[in-house]
Amino acid sequence: MNELIPLMVIVPLMAALLISAFSRFNTVTKIFAFVVAICLPIIPIASNYGLHYFGGYEPMLDNVTNVMFHPAITYSFTFLQQIFIAMVGLLTFLVIFIYLTKYKEVSGPYLFLLFLGTAAVTAMLLTDDIFHMFVFFEILALAQVGIVAASSISYSNEMALKYMILGSIGSPMMLLGIGFLLAMTGSVNITDIAAAVHNGLVDATSPVFLMSLALIFFGWLYASGLPPFHTIKSGIYSKAEPHGAALLQSFTVISMISIVLVMFRIYSTLPIFEVLIVFFSILAMILGVSLALTQTDFRRMIGFLAVGELGFIGLGIGLGTQYSITAGLFQALNEITITALLFIGFGAIVNATNEVDTRKLGGLLAYHPKVSIMLLIGGLAMAGVPPLSGFQSKLMLVQASLSCGYPEISILAIVVSIATFVVFVKTYYSMFLKPKPNDLDVEHKEVPRAMIFAMGILLIIVIAFGVYPDVVTNGISNFVGGIL
Amino acid sequence: MAQVQLIILITSVALVIIGLYSAIFIDNIIKKIIGISFIEEGANLFIVAIGYKAGGVVPILMPEMDTSWFASNAAYPLPFGLVLTSIVIGASTLAVMLALVMVLYKKYGTLSTKVMLADTSKQEEYNE
């Protein structure tokens, strides 16, 4: 059933194009979008692990160098791709479900962007071709910009343009880095490049190789929203519709791990590579949580907390052991679900109150008890409170940094988790527990049932991963063992 | 390295540096976008230079050509294929950026980034 592997990209891509072309038929568009969205998490679950060679071009032997090479684009599908694609597929379904139930007249271009973004991150996860990854990285940036620009929040166009300008500097840098690798190895296939580096066909200490690392690393920082791009990343989350922000953060996490895993396969021989990742990750953790503390807009607060959580992912991968990388990837999976839960939950509050300033909110526990309880559990999961999923991944990260001989990093991780807890409790108190301000009108609007449904599904995943982490971590660990 | 290849590489570096300068330091958004295009074209030119082969032929195998002669004389076609894709992506990005600039120009009546993009984080109204 390996034919299903390219379908994971083709289905959302074709759906995006068809919806965009036939969006004037509103009911048909809604039904079609719903059906395709349901298929997105099912296809990766139904597919077998394996490789897909586009055009049927399997690896060939170079008669001159006697080395195997890949003449065409290859998709690799393992447990890691399966779990992440299924998760982003599920999230896309939930987001589209919320969108379809919220509006009577749906926007074809907006649905196009949601499907396009999903197709792009799926391709980034699957591909074994670094240029192919770059192409979808650019498509993803366009989709992200579109999702932000399409929102009804003021100044969203300005934020979209700002993000686009920064992206337009980051992307060519990445392209130049790929160009350097191409110049050194003559290939854009990641397996071939990694083989050339590890077999000594490429001088890993040459300035050209180091330059390629610097350029691709710069592109990765932009894609991940790690410093110095943390402000713009949290900015786009706050300017997108809440359900759009839930999907945007999953795009960020997946593009982050896709690129970093590629870099890991190519540059893991360079000690500076892991130092760079750990440095920027720690910076993201500290800046993310510090800036979240100062926010009064809860969407921006969640945006900064999400950036801080990205630091945990990078930390796990930067430490470079099988256990730490497994912990980092598990943290990535948890971040997708937890942050999506928080964005949708806070979106429900925006929907009900039309207010985003925590100083002007209060007493919402009595009006929206379901949302408040689910948000509380989500926030506790993000802070790493047992037995939720965030606790398991953060515990693994602390153990990994201790076993690597960096107790100071584990202490920092714990401190950042406590600070995250403080930020969340402070915001939660302001919104739900303190007395309701007299001028706050909360009685006129219900929270949409689709949002409650989406939060419920995500909450089940958060609790399930917390109680049974082995279901995921064993498979991820096997994958990591394969790339080390 | 052939002299032509060296000249192309130097040009591409110059394009990237000029582009970075204008993208970072120039206030006018259109000039900034032109600078960004310079960076993209610099990267494309660099990749084209990788595929250059002194005295080489266009990598299209004609029926009358000997395959071993073709293999040793044809330019490396992969970079050209990549650049073609990259140009298309660059054009799409440019179109989206200019579309956003048009919307913002109608709103602000200026092309100054200091005015357009200054207070995105200050204003947090929710207009639904």
Side-chain angles (χ1 to χ4, degrees):
Chain A
M1 290 236 302
N2 283 356
E3 291 74 19
L4 284 180
I5 295 173
L7 278 186
M8 291 173 218
V9 180
I10 293 167
V11 167
L13 211 52
M14 286 306 295
L17 295 172
L18 289 172
I19 285 171
S20 183
F22 298 104
S23 60
R24 62 183 181 278
F25 307 111
N26 190 52
T27 312
V28 177
T29 303
K30 280 177 120 174
I31 293 168
F32 181 67
F34 184 78
V35 170
V36 175
I38 283 184
C39 294
L40 293 181
I42 295 172
I43 299 171
I45 291 167
S47 180
N48 291 334
Y49 302 144
L51 299 165
H52 180 84
Y53 303 108
F54 277 84
Y57 295 107
E58 297 200 0
M60 298 163 79
L61 187 70
D62 186 332
N63 293 329
V64 181
T65 58
N66 212 24
V67 174
M68 293 292 284
F69 71 99
H70 295 73
I73 293 168
T74 307
Y75 274 2
S76 166
F77 184 67
T78 65
F79 177 79
L80 185 88
Q81 282 83 9
Q82 185 180 43
I83 189 81
F84 275 98
I85 294 171
M87 192 58 75
V88 81
L90 176 68
L91 198 54
T92 307
F93 163 69
L94 294 174
V95 167
I96 285 175
F97 182 56
I98 292 170
Y99 178 69
L100 294 179
T101 50
K102 190 176 178 185
Y103 298 102
K104 279 185 182 169
E105 291 286 325
V106 294
S107 157
Y110 189 68
L111 285 169
F112 164 82
L113 292 165
L114 296 178
F115 279 117
L116 189 70
T118 305
V121 286
T122 306
M124 285 179 76
L125 264 174
L126 286 171
T127 189
D128 196 31
D129 183 293
I130 197 164
F131 187 79
H132 190 70
M133 195 175 74
F134 167 76
V135 170
F136 278 102
F137 168 75
E138 286 273 43
I139 291 171
L140 178 65
L142 285 173
Q144 286 176 315
V145 165
I147 290 170
V148 176
S151 87
S152 56
I153 298 167
S154 52
Y155 292 85
S156 60
N157 285 331
E158 287 85 339
M159 190 57 82
L161 182 61
K162 219 185 225 184
Y163 186 69
M164 190 114 217
I165 289 171
L166 286 173
S168 301
I169 299 172
S171 303
M173 293 298 133
M174 199 172 190
L175 182 62
L176 271 175
I178 293 168
F180 280 124
L181 284 178
L182 176 65
M184 293 186 83
T185 62
S187 175
V188 284
N189 182 277
I190 297 158
T191 305
D192 292 351
I193 295 171
V197 174
H198 293 291
N199 294 336
L201 297 173
V202 169
D203 180 9
T205 56
S206 72
V208 178
F209 192 67
L210 293 173
M211 193 65 191
S212 73
L213 167 63
L215 292 166
I216 295 175
F217 195 85
F218 185 81
W220 176 68
L221 289 179
Y222 162 74
S224 317
L226 295 181
F229 299 105
H230 58 291
T231 315
I232 187 76
K233 192 58 99 175
S234 68
I236 64 160
Y237 293 157
S238 68
K239 296 297 177 192
E241 294 288 339
H243 53 269
L247 200 55
L248 283 181
Q249 63 82 25
S250 75
F251 292 166
T252 302
V253 173
I254 293 182
S255 54
M256 176 191 190
I257 61 161
S258 308
I259 301 170
V260 81
L261 286 175
V262 169
M263 287 198 297
F264 192 85
R265 287 170 64 189
I266 298 172
Y267 299 107
S268 58
T269 50
L270 296 173
I272 191 155
F273 169 67
E274 290 172 359
V275 174
L276 277 174
I277 290 189
V278 170
F279 173 76
F280 279 98
S281 301
I282 289 175
L283 208 58
M285 285 160 65
I286 295 169
L287 285 175
V289 78
S290 312
L291 290 168
L293 264 171
T294 62
Q295 301 302 314
T296 52
D297 176 345
F298 55 71
R299 292 168 311 171
R300 209 149 166 89
M301 183 272 292
I302 295 293
F304 278 119
L305 283 183
V307 169
E309 295 296 299
L310 290 171
F312 281 96
I313 303 169
L315 184 65
I317 293 164
L319 288 172
T321 63
Q322 185 172 358
Y323 190 71
S324 72
I325 297 173
T326 306
L329 294 172
F330 185 38
Q331 168 70 15
L333 198 60
N334 292 337
E335 154 127 21
I336 290 174
T337 48
I338 295 168
T339 316
L341 170 62
L342 294 181
F343 271 122
I344 294 171
F346 283 113
I349 298 300
V350 176
N351 196 70
T353 61
N354 246 15
E355 185 56 67
V356 294
D357 192 336
T358 52
R359 293 167 300 185
K360 296 176 185 169
L361 291 166
L364 294 175
L365 183 61
Y367 296 93
H368 302 291
K370 284 182 199 164
V371 175
S372 63
I373 289 168
M374 287 195 272
L375 269 177
L376 179 64
I377 298 173
L380 294 178
M382 183 178 259
V385 173
L388 302 165
S389 59
F391 164 73
Q392 297 290 359
S393 53
K394 287 188 176 174
L395 181 67
M396 284 175 76
L397 282 166
V398 169
Q399 287 172 340
S401 49
L402 280 173
S403 63
C404 290
Y406 300 112
E408 53 278 59
I409 292 180
S410 55
I411 291 169
L412 182 75
I414 293 168
V415 170
V416 171
S417 293
I418 293 169
T420 306
F421 181 78
V422 171
V423 172
F424 186 77
V425 168
K426 176 176 155 259
T427 309
Y428 190 83
Y429 172 78
S430 301
M431 293 172 68
F432 294 98
L433 301 177
K434 80 173 186 204
K436 183 176 89 68
N438 293 331
D439 56 345
L440 182 66
D441 180 19
V442 288
E443 291 172 29
H444 70 290
K445 267 190 178 178
E446 286 285 314
V447 172
R449 283 182 188 170
M451 281 186 155
I452 303 276
F453 170 75
M455 289 177 75
I457 298 281
L458 293 168
L459 196 64
I460 290 168
I461 296 169
V462 167
I463 294 169
F465 283 176
V467 178
Y468 303 107
D470 295 347
V471 174
V472 182
T473 52
N474 287 344
I476 296 176
S477 183
N478 290 337
F479 166 82
V480 175
I483 63 165
L484 281 175
Chain B
M1 188 182 289
Q3 197 183 0
V4 178
Q5 200 171 17
L6 189 65
I7 292 167
I8 295 173
L9 286 174
I10 291 168
T11 312
S12 70
V13 171
L15 277 173
V16 170
I17 291 170
I18 294 166
L20 275 174
Y21 173 80
S22 46
I24 295 167
F25 295 109
I26 293 181
D27 181 46
N28 185 301
I29 190 76
I30 297 291
K31 289 181 183 174
K32 218 179 245 299
I33 290 173
I34 292 171
I36 288 165
S37 298
F38 269 42
I39 303 173
E40 283 171 0
E41 297 317 324
N44 288 340
L45 196 60
F46 173 79
I47 295 177
V48 168
I50 294 168
Y52 177 79
K53 190 181 179 80
V57 296
V58 176
I60 300 171
L61 181 63
M62 304 303 285
E64 65 273 14
M65 286 180 183
D66 177 50
T67 45
S68 57
W69 177 88
F70 177 79
S72 56
N73 287 284
Y76 188 36
L78 181 63
F80 308 137
L82 302 187
V83 165
L84 202 60
T85 316
S86 177
I87 288 169
V88 175
I89 298 167
S92 318
T93 314
L94 193 65
V96 174
M97 268 194 290
L98 290 174
L100 284 170
V101 168
M102 280 172 68
V103 173
L104 293 180
Y105 181 72
K106 281 179 189 163
K107 183 175 174 182
Y108 292 98
T110 175
L111 291 171
S112 166
T113 40
K114 281 179 188 158
V115 179
M116 273 185 187
L117 307 178
D119 54 356
T120 43
S121 57
K122 289 177 194 162
Q123 189 67 34
E124 299 290 343
E125 288 168 18
Y126 192 83
N127 303 330
E128 195 173 19

